[in-house]
Each structure stands twice: as C-alpha cells, then as structure tokens.
Amino acid sequence: MKRILSIGRDPNNDIIIYDLTDTVSRSHATLRVDGNKLFITDHSTNGTYLNGVRLQSNTEYRVTKKDEVRFADAAYLEWNALPVKHSLSLWVIIPSIVSLLLILAFIYYSHQMNQKTSANEMEIQSTEEAGPASEKIDSTEKQVTVSDVEKKSDEAKAPKTTSKKNKKDNRTGVINNSKNKAEEPSSVDAL
C-alpha cells in the first residue's frame, strides 16, 4: 500500500512543522510510505538534511525511523508524530470475523432458548388454568359415581320395607291390607 505524506508549515499538510522563523517551506518535503519502506523527497529552498547531509532537491531517498531528518535549520522529523494508518492484516481480520460470528451465534441461541422457554411457560400456564377445572369436573364425576355406587349398595343391603298400606303379594297376587289382616281372624283360627 502506497501513500504520500506532505510535510511543511501549511496547516493542510499531513505533517505540520511549526516554524516561527519561516525557514521551513509551506510544502517542504514529502514522505512516501510503501509497506514498511519509507522514502523522503525534498521540495524546499532551504533544504532537507538526512543524518546531517543535505539532500538533493526532488530526489527520493530511502530512510528508516532510526535516521535523523532535519528541515532547514529549524526542526527535526519526529517519527512518532507520523500519522499511523494501520493496514489490516489477516491476523486482525480473521479473529474479528470469528469473534463476530460467535457473538451472533450466541445471540441466536439465546433468542431460540428464550422462545422455547416462553412457549413452555405459556403451555404450563394454560395447563394450570385449564388443569384445575378439568380436575374439578373429573373429581365431581368421580364423586357422583362413588355416591351412586354407595346408594346402590345401600339399597341392596337394606331389607325391603314399604310404607304402603296395601301390599301385593307377588306369589299369590293378592293385595293384603295390614289393618284388615290384624282385625280379621284367619281362617285357621275360626275353625
């Protein structure tokens, strides 16, 4: 990746040199960045110096951050003042993408679990609301059934008595009146 940084007094430069004596030009030099390699070119009247040696104007020279670069007699290039434009490498991009995918997967999984939990809670809630009513109906039916069975068993155990005055004898088909029976003497007694 190539880029060229302008150096000088002008506030529009990438690297601004503050010089009150006006010995540094408004557009004094350029610094070309090509990957990890740096190249400087002088464009000034008062000169640019590399390790104390004046550079020929409009000629590109290879420099490193260990070199001393001076503009006219006024200022030195501060290497740490260079605007840093980080090139994103695969070592940065790939872990970032993986991290993002993991975060998205976690969010998706959490959302799915929340939906399942909500559905289960709603199902449980509806079961609880419907459950006791159905249990009441079932228990009422059971009670009715149990009481019916109890009545039938009580009826079967109890001796058959009637409160009717006239009782029909099933064997003979004669209606016996209990009052008349007590008052009238039987035919055996009359003999």
Side-chain angles (χ1 to χ4, degrees):
M1 176 181 188
K2 294 181 181 180
R3 65 185 181 139
I4 298 176
L5 303 172
S6 59
I7 302 169
R9 281 184 322 184
D10 192 309
N12 293 325
N13 286 311
D14 296 312
I15 300 171
I16 302 168
I17 305 295
Y18 298 101
D19 176 31
L20 299 175
T21 63
D22 290 342
T23 56
V24 175
S25 302
R26 285 182 292 222
S27 294
H28 196 92
T30 56
L31 183 67
R32 183 170 65 91
V33 180
D34 186 2
N36 291 330
K37 298 176 185 174
L38 302 169
F39 302 91
I40 195 156
T41 305
D42 178 51
H43 304 289
S44 70
T45 309
N46 295 325
T48 300
Y49 297 84
L50 177 60
N51 296 324
V53 178
R54 186 174 177 156
L55 300 178
Q56 186 177 353
S57 189
N58 295 319
T59 304
E60 192 173 66
Y61 293 89
R62 170 102 194 255
V63 293
T64 66
K65 291 186 177 183
K66 294 179 182 177
D67 291 326
E68 179 182 277
V69 178
R70 184 170 44 115
F71 304 106
D73 291 326
Y76 291 93
L77 177 62
E78 295 180 28
W79 292 105
N80 59 356
L82 290 176
V84 179
K85 187 173 185 180
H86 296 287
S87 61
L88 295 176
S89 68
L90 292 177
W91 296 108
V92 174
I93 294 172
I94 291 174
S96 299
I97 291 172
V98 169
S99 298
L100 180 63
L101 289 175
L102 287 173
I103 290 169
L104 291 174
F106 176 75
I107 291 170
Y108 176 77
Y109 178 75
S110 297
H111 180 70
Q112 292 298 323
M113 292 306 294
N114 285 341
Q115 283 184 339
K116 286 181 182 178
T117 303
S118 297
N120 288 342
E121 288 175 355
M122 290 173 59
E123 185 178 323
I124 289 170
Q125 185 179 16
S126 66
T127 304
E128 288 176 355
E129 290 174 1
S134 64
E135 288 174 10
K136 287 179 184 176
I137 291 169
D138 291 341
S139 64
T140 306
E141 288 175 358
K142 288 177 186 174
Q143 288 175 358
V144 169
T145 305
V146 168
S147 64
D148 288 343
V149 169
E150 288 175 354
K151 285 180 185 177
K152 287 180 181 179
S153 67
D154 288 344
E155 288 175 1
K157 290 179 185 177
K160 294 185 177 182
T161 57
T162 57
S163 59
K164 294 181 180 178
K165 293 182 179 177
N166 296 329
K167 186 176 177 183
K168 181 177 180 183
D169 188 356
N170 289 334
R171 288 174 285 169
T172 60
V174 177
I175 298 176
N176 293 329
N177 190 338
S178 57
K179 285 185 180 179
N180 293 341
K181 197 174 190 180
E183 294 175 358
E184 293 178 6
S186 68
S187 58
V188 176
D189 290 350
L191 292 175

